[in-house]
Amino acid sequence: MFSGPRRWGARGDYERVPEGPEAQKCNPEKSASFFSRMTYSWFSRIILLGYKKPLEREDLFELNESDSSYIVCPIFEKQWRKEVLRNQERQEIKASFHKEARARKPSLLYALWNTFKFVLIQVALFKVFADILSFTSPLIMKQMIIFCEHRQDFGWRGYGYALALFVVVFLQTLILQQYQRFNMLTSAKIKTAVIGLIYKKALLLSNVSRKRFSTGEVINLMSADAQQLMDLTANLNLLWSAPLQILMAVSLLWQELGPAVLAGTAVLVLVIPINALVATRVKKLKKSQTKNKDKQIKLLNEILHGIKILKLYAWEPSYKKKIVEIREQELEVQKSAGYLAVFSMLTLTCIPFLTRISLGRLEDFLNTEELLPQNIETNYIGDHAIGFTNASFSWDKTGIPVLKNLNIKIPEGALVAVIGQVGSGKSSVLSAMLGEMEKLTGVVQRKGSVAYVAQQAWIQNCILQENILFGSTMQKQFYEQVLEACALLPDLEQLPNGDQTEIGERGVNISGGQKHRVSLARAVYSRADIYLLDDPFSAVDVHIGKQLFEKVIGSSGILKNKTRVLVTHNLTLLPQMDLIVVMESGRVAQMGTYQELLSKTRNLTHLLQAFSEQEKAHALKRVSVINSRTILKDQILEQNDRPSLDQGKQFSMKKEKIPIGGVKFSIILKYLQAFGWLWVWLSVASYVGQNLVGIGQNLWLSAWAKEAKHMNEFTEWKQIRSNKLNIYGLLGLMQGFFVCSGAYILTRGSLAASRTLYAQLLDNVLHLPLQFFETSPIGQIINRFTKDMFIIDMRFHYYLRTWVNCTLDVIGTVLVIVGALPLFILGVIPLVFLYFTIQRYYVASSRQIRRLAGASRSPIISHFSETLSGVSTIRAFGHEQRFIQQNKEVVNENLVCFYNNVISNRWLSVRLEFLGNLMVFFAALLAVLAGSSIDSALVGLSISYALNITQSLNFWVRKACEIETNAVSIERVCEYENMGKEAPWIMSRRPPAQWPNKGIVEFINYRARYRDDLGLALQDITFQTHGEEKIGIVGRTGAGKSTLSNCLFRIVERSGGKIIIDGIDISTIGLHDLRGKLNIIPQDPVLFSGTLQMNLDPLDKYSDCQLWEVLELCHLKEFVQSLPKKLLHEISEGGENLSVGQRQLVCLARALLRKTKILILDEATASIDFETDNLVQTTVRKEFSDCTILTIAHRLHSIIDSDRVLVLDSGRITEFGTPQNLICQKGLFFEMLTEAGITQDSVTK
């Protein structure tokens, strides 16, 4: 994700490791001459390079140091801290005078002003000069008209006026482009500063604040609301510039027209309050739209993270419907805002209102609760490493205590076990030690640095070595020692690039066991003083677990002299502990050594008795043996040529594909088709009519003025006035009609396009195979739904409309000028040729820069999302500053692309406006040369149009480029359309409603591979189950066990052979007809935000009575009844307000509710205590007694009582029979039993 290696410096601060003297292009702007800087000629080399070849990131110029995120973010954070302190002082002063002083939040706007005020003033000065020059041109034009009326002064004065006009408009161009440059870059710096502050705040949020702001909402703050602030800055000067221009225009018109100008001014004054009312309405609509966007991104984020569950349970249509409902609400708001857009001043009036919403949301977030460092005393002198004294904790200050009256003293160097049943508070004790919980009472002390291994391993999207080093410097000898102790050396030998292999997002290309071992290695390598280990053995094999305990955690391991706190369900490790803490309902039920607890109380004895005799007899050999993700991805096979899923899974995350070359017309055509051809032609007709009427009005006024000039009598003029005024008024009404019609038609068409393209994108994404999601960063996909859809929703139709308008303006202008000055056509032809030449060079570069900018946004979202999911680990290790620096790095990459895009636009504008200025000069020169052969009214009209054509042509070329560069968003949204999809969800052939009714599964010569370029993961698999038979599927890591289950669900499609279930070949029916009739209890306990009821029954098929029944079977009924809202209890994002064990029990309840004839069981009881585990196993055997059960097992005890056992090796069946027969054969199954410490006697019991 990040460019270049990085390390911690000697003083603990972050350093970037240099990669060579010419790692990236230096910025030549500072060394450029004054003329080059004013005309942006120094950027020409990029334009020329982009014309010759597609630009890459390395080709772009770097930012000026003052514009980089490394400089901008710290300065703004300093000002924000000052504002927070000032606010606290103000509140204290108010409180001293008024007991009930109203609390006021620190102002983000003040902090931004204090940070950027000097550059904002500089920008405003550029705008003032540009505006003054824009009103100088009409004054010179007035003198030219006077000159043409009075030819007696003919001479060099006319040429002087023409030259003066050219000089003024050229100066205006240079100043205006400097204004645009500083304006856009300042707005980008403000967005960068706000993103940096949001990211830093996200690392400090308390649990209450994290519940209030989901990942989706925080991402929306970072993208949409920060963008709104950027838009404010870009348009900020309009708030004073527009009134200034109006006043200047009125004063000039007063000089020409006198009191008559007051009529127009009165209309303007009347329109302002109407627009204020409209803006108020838009503000409400914006609030509603922002909430919908938050909900949409939140749900989308969860769907993408839980996509495997959606596919296994065939829930895609249900969740698709939920997103579409939210999207429709958003489009309704967009429609209302579109209809209001007919008011011309709407944009100007709405800027402060819309920004106020974003400012309010950002201030709410930035002022939310943070974790209090003073919750834990870290600077104390004592003989214990961790101490609790009468300490009680809650997840929020006002909530019910989760941990009560803790009194624990952990000596330095002790090995401590924390045990207890599901929900007893084991993991919460570790959270309290980390300072992640709200301390209600008591004292907490902790001495030394901390390393933390979370229950659900958090893995970064970077190379494996960086995951382990985690910012520390490389010490080769210790590094290899850690790899050996954590059993990672065999994996590294088989990984494609060893420890340089890139690990995908969320560790998708390594197994659950490997993720936990990498997480443990990261902790060990940190050389911390205290190690907090939350059930680290839950996802590793028996022998691996034993090795980890002996070589890492135990009395002879690497950490033998460190303080170790181990949450575990494996009670057989207790004799080796220095201290045991038994948790019960958030309290310490018992505490002491193993012998003390045995002698003092029967509680521990009772706890041990919860195991079956079989469990106790062999538990020393089983540390906890369930994989937390698909076993097929676990360890690499011993031989490279052994076909397995692991070979199929050895991939890196796909980098975002950046298209090259021009955007195909088919992309524009796709948008127009979604827009609707009826609306397209109606839009064109309305804009043609609008422009024709506009030209007609101007020509009518010109003719009227010409006639009036030749009239000698006022009465004669008065006679024609009524007729002329009526026609002029009629033309005005017609133009108003065309404008309103155009706005209405554009709104209807753009909404249709947005709805269609979004629906296609969502449908395409949900139909993509699971492997796509495992190899593509989530940020890339979310970027399509956020930034790219925003451009389609709000920008693209605007660019199309503007381009059509500009095209019609240019054509009309040329026709008007040529009609008055025929020789003008001689100057237009070469200038148009130059226009198109410049455009061709610019578009090639600009298009690619825009694509690079689009691709550079995805890592920002991915890194943000990755950080939020691992925030507890980051805080535990104390690496917040390093991650803040990494955020600055990815934001800076996006800023580099934005900077180059801004400069390329200014490069184009200077050149196009210069050509436009030549057109003005040419028109003025021709008017002077024409002498008395042309009327002064036509001279004024021609030069006026020539002045407008500068802007129109510039806009025309710019918008043509904008259309092409922004069409990249349509291209990206449509990108998934041509990717390989899963088979259809529903096919013409559908199975009977009661299928399968026997549960007979038959594989016939079945072969499967994950990709065409990989070997077979399954080879010639042939076997058949009986109805209601219990089959155990075993094999060493990478043998193909979970590939088998994936093939049953057609997650992996066949390469040969077939699977028949109750007489139906599963390849002949739709995926949802198949998956909806199968059942699986997966290893990952994935829950979605929403009610508990929705998580159990998203399709709303079952009654409350049925839900309570399955909750009772899963031993959750008592817990759910204790919740205030019971079934309507809100599950937070990812199920974070439930323990991992409780989440797994909810997943079991979900499977019990969805009872079908065939159950695939990936043992999902790693995070629950053994007593509950036994109850769950009993429940499964009882409730699914009439079902065919395929159990994929690493914990061999759970399949010993199976009817038959299927043994896989290298993707082939090596043994298949009853457990007793396989033991007698003394083959692979017997070897595995021996390794697990299971004797033949225990099997026959």
Side-chain angles (χ1 to χ4, degrees):
M1 179 184 290
F2 304 107
S3 55
R6 53 200 65 78
R7 66 183 176 214
W8 285 99
R11 294 177 297 173
D13 53 343
Y14 181 90
E15 298 176 347
R16 186 164 176 173
V17 180
E19 297 181 74
E22 295 293 329
Q24 291 172 312
K25 279 186 176 291
C26 296
N27 192 325
E29 184 178 8
K30 282 190 175 181
S31 59
S33 65
F34 176 77
F35 177 80
S36 179
R37 291 172 71 177
M38 293 299 289
T39 60
Y40 301 95
S41 299
W42 57 270
F43 195 75
S44 296
R45 70 177 79 170
I46 292 287
I47 299 293
L48 292 171
L49 183 63
Y51 183 72
K52 293 175 184 175
K53 75 175 189 74
L55 291 174
E56 298 175 6
R57 166 62 184 89
E58 293 73 22
D59 299 321
L60 304 183
F61 290 136
E62 289 301 299
L63 291 164
N64 292 314
E65 188 177 0
S66 60
D67 296 328
S68 73
S69 61
Y70 306 109
I71 301 298
V72 171
C73 290
I75 294 173
F76 176 61
E77 285 167 17
K78 183 179 178 181
Q79 290 297 335
W80 173 251
R81 285 195 298 270
K82 284 183 180 179
E83 172 60 21
V84 171
L85 290 172
R86 275 195 297 267
N87 185 68
Q88 288 174 354
E89 290 171 4
R90 284 193 295 263
Q91 296 306 313
E92 288 171 4
I93 293 169
K94 282 184 181 179
S96 63
F97 290 102
H98 307 285
K99 292 184 179 179
E100 296 182 359
R102 184 185 171 189
R104 180 178 174 274
K105 295 176 185 175
S107 172
L108 182 62
L109 203 57
Y110 288 159
L112 287 169
W113 169 251
N114 289 328
T115 307
F116 299 102
K117 58 187 174 186
F118 295 114
V119 69
L120 288 171
I121 291 170
Q122 180 186 7
V123 169
L125 288 173
F126 276 122
K127 183 63 174 164
V128 168
F129 288 129
D131 286 350
I132 291 171
L133 287 171
S134 70
F135 281 93
T136 307
S137 303
L139 293 175
I140 298 173
M141 189 174 71
K142 176 186 174 183
Q143 295 302 317
M144 285 203 68
I145 293 171
I146 295 171
F147 168 77
C148 290
E149 285 180 345
H150 307 286
R151 300 290 176 175
Q152 67 273 17
D153 296 330
F154 187 83
W156 291 106
R157 182 177 292 184
Y159 297 109
Y161 287 144
L163 185 61
L165 191 62
F166 173 74
V167 171
V168 166
V169 291
F170 182 61
L171 282 175
Q172 184 188 352
T173 292
L174 295 180
I175 292 174
L176 191 61
Q177 295 315 315
Q178 288 298 314
Y179 159 73
Q180 293 285 7
R181 175 211 188 277
F182 283 104
N183 192 32
M184 294 304 295
L185 288 180
T186 302
S187 64
K189 285 158 72 172
I190 285 176
K191 180 182 177 183
T192 298
V194 171
I195 287 175
L197 197 59
I198 292 171
Y199 184 89
K200 188 171 184 178
K201 181 71 178 184
L203 284 171
L204 301 173
L205 289 181
S206 67
N207 279 284
V208 179
S209 301
R210 287 177 67 189
K211 286 178 186 175
R212 185 180 164 196
F213 293 94
S214 67
T215 300
E217 288 171 318
V218 178
I219 288 173
N220 205 23
L221 285 172
M222 182 197 68
S223 54
D225 293 288
Q227 180 68 41
Q228 191 70 54
L229 274 185
M230 180 176 171
D231 293 342
L232 163 71
T233 311
N235 296 292
L236 183 65
N237 290 292
L238 292 178
L239 295 176
W240 60 263
S241 175
L244 174 65
Q245 290 183 45
I246 291 169
L247 286 173
M248 291 171 70
V250 168
S251 64
L252 288 176
L253 288 170
W254 180 275
Q255 294 175 27
E256 299 299 322
L257 304 176
V261 78
L262 295 177
T265 308
V267 172
L268 188 63
V269 170
L270 286 172
V271 168
I272 289 173
I274 296 173
N275 279 279
L277 291 173
V278 171
T280 305
R281 174 63 181 155
V282 171
K283 177 185 174 183
K284 292 178 181 177
L285 292 173
K286 179 67 177 176
K287 273 187 176 179
S288 173
Q289 189 175 32
T290 306
K291 288 178 182 177
N292 288 329
K293 279 187 179 295
D294 283 346
K295 288 193 286 187
Q296 184 190 141
I297 296 172
K298 177 183 177 183
L299 181 57
L300 187 66
N301 190 55
E302 290 191 82
I303 285 173
L304 294 174
H305 279 92
I307 190 70
K308 184 172 183 181
I309 296 298
L310 261 63
K311 289 190 175 295
L312 290 174
Y313 282 97
W315 282 348
E316 297 103 322
S318 173
Y319 280 86
K320 178 183 175 182
K321 183 182 176 184
K322 292 176 191 291
I323 287 191
V324 168
E325 286 173 357
I326 299 170
R327 173 66 173 170
E328 282 301 317
Q329 293 170 12
E330 184 185 346
L331 290 178
E332 277 299 311
V333 174
Q334 192 174 314
K335 181 172 72 174
S336 301
Y339 290 157
L340 291 170
V342 296
F343 295 93
S344 58
M345 290 184 64
L346 178 63
T347 306
L348 174 62
T349 317
C350 290
I351 289 169
F353 286 97
L354 300 183
T355 307
R356 184 66 249 173
I357 297 167
S358 291
L359 275 171
R361 283 162 50 81
L362 288 166
E363 285 175 356
D364 281 346
F365 177 74
L366 294 172
N367 289 298
T368 48
E369 252 181 59
E370 296 182 4
L371 285 175
L372 299 175
Q374 57 266 36
N375 277 346
I376 298 181
E377 295 179 18
T378 54
N379 300 317
Y380 79 100
I381 300 172
D383 58 353
H384 54 269
I386 301 170
F388 292 94
T389 306
N390 298 322
S392 296
F393 298 88
S394 172
W395 289 112
D396 59 80
K397 289 178 180 177
T398 58
I400 301 169
V402 176
L403 298 175
K404 305 152 201 163
N405 300 322
L406 297 187
N407 285 282
I408 305 171
K409 293 290 186 291
I410 298 176
E412 289 187 55
L415 174 56
V416 181
V418 181
I419 62 173
Q421 295 187 353
V422 169
S424 60
K426 304 182 297 299
S427 296
S428 297
V429 170
L430 296 192
S431 295
M433 292 176 181
L434 289 170
E436 293 283 324
M437 298 183 74
E438 291 289 346
K439 187 182 69 174
L440 302 177
T441 61
V443 177
V444 186
Q445 296 169 320
R446 194 184 71 209
K447 183 162 61 177
S449 57
V450 175
Y452 173 57
V453 178
Q455 191 170 9
Q456 289 186 302
W458 176 68
I459 302 296
Q460 285 186 272
N461 175 206
C462 56
I463 63 172
L464 188 134
Q465 184 187 88
E466 285 185 1
N467 264 290
I468 295 171
L469 296 183
F470 204 54
S472 302
T473 53
M474 168 61 82
Q475 295 179 4
K476 194 69 176 175
Q477 186 176 352
F478 182 61
Y479 175 72
E480 289 177 354
Q481 186 183 352
V482 170
L483 292 178
E484 193 276 329
C486 294
L488 283 169
L489 287 177
D491 301 289
L492 297 187
E493 289 173 6
Q494 301 301 330
L495 285 171
N497 299 309
D499 63 356
Q500 299 301 305
T501 301
E502 185 183 359
I503 306 303
E505 228 176 40
R506 307 179 309 283
V508 295
N509 54 335
I510 57 176
S511 72
Q514 287 170 327
K515 280 189 271 188
H516 275 75
R517 282 181 280 133
V518 169
S519 182
L520 183 62
R522 174 203 297 151
V524 174
Y525 191 83
S526 69
R527 295 178 185 255
D529 301 310
I530 299 171
Y531 287 82
L532 306 179
L533 313 170
D534 198 349
D535 206 5
F537 304 140
S538 63
V540 296
D541 294 326
V542 179
H543 62 288
I544 296 292
K546 184 180 179 182
Q547 176 182 337
L548 292 178
F549 187 80
E550 291 176 353
K551 293 193 174 184
V552 178
I553 300 170
S555 57
S556 57
I558 294 180
L559 306 179
K560 60 186 177 184
N561 297 320
K562 305 288 186 177
T563 305
R564 293 141 291 160
V565 181
L566 173 68
V567 169
T568 183
H569 291 124
N570 186 4
L571 306 189
T572 57
L573 297 175
L574 300 187
Q576 303 181 57
M577 300 293 161
D578 300 321
L579 181 67
I580 299 169
V581 178
V582 183
M583 297 300 299
E584 187 178 313
S585 302
R587 299 177 184 273
V588 177
Q590 299 294 332
M591 185 168 62
T593 64
Y594 183 74
Q595 293 300 325
E596 286 173 351
L597 292 183
L598 281 179
S599 60
K600 288 180 184 177
T601 178
R602 291 182 173 270
N603 282 6
L604 189 63
T605 309
H606 290 163
L607 205 55
L608 290 171
Q609 286 174 349
F611 296 120
S612 63
E613 291 299 318
Q614 176 181 323
E615 295 279 2
K616 286 194 289 181
H618 305 289
L620 284 172
K621 291 284 185 177
R622 68 179 262 231
V623 178
S624 179
V625 284
I626 179 169
N627 270 349
S628 71
R629 198 166 171 90
T630 41
I631 309 300
L632 47 91
K633 292 187 305 186
D634 204 346
Q635 294 179 333
I636 308 306
L637 295 176
E638 294 175 4
Q639 300 173 11
N640 286 329
D641 58 348
R642 292 173 68 179
S644 78
L645 175 63
D646 291 294
Q647 291 182 346
K649 291 287 181 176
Q650 296 313 316
F651 47 71
S652 295
M653 295 300 280
K654 292 176 185 171
K655 302 298 180 188
E656 183 143 21
K657 183 182 177 183
I658 302 174
I660 58 174
V663 174
K664 296 176 183 175
F665 180 70
S666 60
I667 298 295
I668 309 292
L669 198 62
K670 191 176 286 291
Y671 180 81
L672 295 178
Q673 286 171 341
F675 195 95
W677 289 112
L678 174 64
W679 300 118
V680 169
W681 294 119
L682 285 175
S683 295
V684 172
S686 69
Y687 291 121
V688 168
Q690 185 180 324
N691 279 272
L692 286 175
V693 171
I695 292 172
Q697 280 182 307
N698 288 326
L699 289 173
W700 187 257
L701 274 179
S702 177
W704 189 1
K706 183 178 179 180
E707 287 182 31
K709 190 171 65 172
H710 297 293
M711 289 178 185
N712 299 320
E713 297 291 334
F714 178 73
T715 53
E716 189 181 352
W717 177 85
K718 200 172 181 181
Q719 287 174 356
I720 68 166
R721 182 188 64 177
S722 179
N723 181 45
K724 297 285 186 183
L725 198 58
N726 287 339
I727 293 176
Y728 187 77
L730 180 62
L731 289 171
L733 288 173
M734 288 174 65
Q735 182 151 24
F737 169 75
F738 281 123
V739 168
C740 293
S741 299
Y744 173 79
I745 291 164
L746 190 75
T747 300
R748 289 294 300 268
S750 62
L751 281 171
S754 293
R755 182 179 286 109
T756 302
L757 291 174
Y758 187 93
Q760 288 175 358
L761 172 63
L762 182 61
D763 195 58
N764 287 330
V765 166
L766 291 177
H767 277 85
L768 289 168
L770 185 63
Q771 188 177 343
F772 169 82
F773 298 96
E774 294 183 334
T775 57
S776 299
I778 297 297
Q780 283 183 16
I781 305 171
I782 290 180
N783 203 15
R784 303 308 198 267
F785 283 93
T786 51
K787 185 65 177 179
D788 291 315
M789 278 310 305
F790 170 78
I791 287 172
I792 292 169
D793 288 348
M794 308 302 293
R795 298 275 174 85
F796 194 74
H797 60 85
Y798 163 74
Y799 294 136
L800 275 177
R801 183 196 72 187
T802 310
W803 181 79
V804 170
N805 259 336
C806 286
T807 303
L808 296 172
D809 275 348
V810 169
I811 293 170
T813 299
V814 171
L815 290 175
V816 168
I817 298 176
V818 169
L821 303 165
L823 288 176
F824 184 74
I825 195 71
L826 297 177
V828 167
I829 293 171
L831 289 177
V832 167
F833 172 76
L834 288 172
Y835 260 88
F836 282 107
T837 302
I838 292 171
Q839 180 194 7
R840 195 167 68 250
Y841 275 84
Y842 164 78
V843 168
S845 301
S846 176
R847 180 179 55 227
Q848 207 62 21
I849 292 171
R850 185 67 65 95
R851 283 169 170 162
L852 290 167
S856 68
R857 283 192 298 268
S858 298
I860 298 175
I861 298 174
S862 293
H863 181 238
F864 213 91
S865 181
E866 182 178 83
T867 300
L868 291 172
S869 63
V871 68
S872 297
T873 300
I874 295 168
R875 290 198 290 225
F877 280 83
H879 282 212
E880 294 93 331
Q881 286 303 317
R882 184 168 67 88
F883 276 82
I884 288 169
Q885 194 72 7
Q886 287 182 353
N887 178 63
K888 289 176 187 173
E889 192 172 332
V890 290
V891 169
N892 208 65
E893 287 297 295
N894 180 247
L895 206 53
V896 166
C897 298
F898 180 82
Y899 168 78
N900 281 266
N901 189 48
V902 167
I903 300 299
S904 69
N905 289 340
R906 304 284 69 78
W907 180 93
L908 174 73
S909 295
V910 166
R911 280 146 187 79
L912 292 188
E913 289 195 20
F914 178 72
L915 293 178
N917 298 338
L918 288 177
M919 283 192 182
V920 172
F921 178 65
F922 191 49
L925 202 60
L926 286 175
V928 173
L929 290 171
S932 58
S933 62
I934 184 171
D935 187 79
S936 60
L938 282 177
V939 169
L941 186 64
S942 301
I943 296 175
S944 175
Y945 265 85
L947 285 169
N948 288 336
I949 202 177
T950 303
Q951 196 69 18
S952 295
L953 272 172
N954 184 17
F955 255 65
W956 183 76
V957 175
R958 281 280 304 281
K959 295 310 165 187
C961 300
E962 291 282 8
I963 287 170
E964 187 163 359
T965 52
N966 281 280
V968 171
S969 289
I970 302 173
E971 184 180 42
R972 283 155 59 85
V973 163
C974 297
E975 182 184 353
Y976 298 141
E977 189 175 349
N978 300 319
M979 289 186 176
K981 305 289 194 307
E982 287 186 313
W985 289 346
I986 303 294
M987 295 172 67
S988 56
R989 181 186 178 186
R990 305 198 66 175
Q994 300 304 316
W995 178 88
N997 55 358
K998 296 177 182 176
I1000 299 173
V1001 180
E1002 183 179 6
F1003 281 70
I1004 302 173
N1005 297 322
Y1006 195 84
R1007 297 186 297 280
R1009 54 165 54 92
Y1010 278 83
R1011 288 203 313 259
D1012 292 338
D1013 58 333
L1014 296 172
L1016 289 169
L1018 292 178
Q1019 299 186 60
D1020 301 321
I1021 301 294
T1022 301
F1023 74 93
Q1024 180 178 348
T1025 70
H1026 305 307
E1028 301 180 7
E1029 189 177 19
K1030 309 300 179 282
I1031 301 289
I1033 302 172
V1034 299
R1036 297 192 186 281
T1037 303
K1041 301 182 295 298
S1042 288
T1043 306
L1044 207 64
S1045 75
N1046 280 344
C1047 291
L1048 269 174
F1049 284 87
R1050 289 178 62 189
I1051 297 292
V1052 179
E1053 293 286 5
R1054 64 179 181 175
S1055 296
K1058 54 186 174 181
I1059 300 173
I1060 296 175
I1061 297 178
D1062 281 3
I1064 293 181
D1065 183 346
I1066 64 170
S1067 65
T1068 62
I1069 61 175
L1071 291 181
H1072 281 189
D1073 281 336
L1074 169 66
R1075 293 169 182 173
K1077 298 291 186 176
L1078 300 179
N1079 205 352
I1080 185 168
I1081 302 177
Q1083 294 168 328
D1084 283 340
V1086 176
L1087 298 183
F1088 300 95
S1089 60
T1091 64
L1092 177 61
Q1093 184 174 20
M1094 187 278 290
N1095 271 280
L1096 291 171
D1097 180 24
L1099 305 181
D1100 204 20
K1101 284 184 177 180
Y1102 306 100
S1103 66
D1104 285 3
C1105 183
Q1106 290 171 299
L1107 298 183
W1108 282 113
E1109 188 179 331
V1110 296
L1111 287 172
E1112 185 173 12
L1113 291 171
C1114 294
H1115 315 285
L1116 279 173
K1117 185 176 181 180
E1118 187 179 338
F1119 166 71
V1120 175
Q1121 283 180 330
S1122 70
L1123 299 171
K1125 294 184 180 179
K1126 298 182 171 55
L1127 286 174
L1128 298 179
H1129 175 67
E1130 283 291 326
I1131 305 294
S1132 63
E1133 191 174 11
E1136 287 187 358
N1137 56 344
L1138 298 179
S1139 71
V1140 178
Q1142 287 168 330
R1143 285 178 234 168
Q1144 288 184 320
L1145 291 176
V1146 171
C1147 292
L1148 174 63
R1150 184 191 284 162
L1152 287 169
L1153 200 59
R1154 175 196 167 96
K1155 191 174 179 183
T1156 60
K1157 200 66 181 176
I1158 297 173
L1159 171 69
I1160 291 87
L1161 183 63
D1162 262 356
E1163 290 182 312
T1165 53
S1167 299
I1168 58 179
D1169 59 273
F1170 286 117
E1171 183 178 0
T1172 309
D1173 186 7
N1174 286 334
L1175 293 172
V1176 168
Q1177 295 292 345
T1178 305
T1179 302
V1180 169
R1181 291 187 185 99
K1182 179 183 176 184
E1183 295 302 317
F1184 292 97
S1185 60
D1186 59 343
C1187 301
T1188 300
I1189 301 179
L1190 304 179
T1191 304
I1192 298 169
H1194 265 218
R1195 189 190 304 189
L1196 298 179
H1197 294 81
S1198 61
I1199 55 91
I1200 284 299
D1201 61 347
S1202 299
D1203 299 325
R1204 286 189 289 173
V1205 175
L1206 181 74
V1207 184
L1208 290 172
D1209 186 40
S1210 304
R1212 299 176 184 272
I1213 297 176
T1214 57
E1215 300 171 25
F1216 187 37
T1218 64
Q1220 290 78 10
N1221 288 341
L1222 295 184
I1223 290 172
C1224 293
Q1225 291 176 15
K1226 297 191 182 299
L1228 181 59
F1229 183 61
F1230 178 77
E1231 288 179 22
M1232 294 171 69
L1233 289 177
T1234 305
E1235 288 174 6
I1238 302 174
T1239 64
Q1240 187 168 354
D1241 293 338
S1242 65
V1243 174
T1244 56
K1245 283 183 181 180

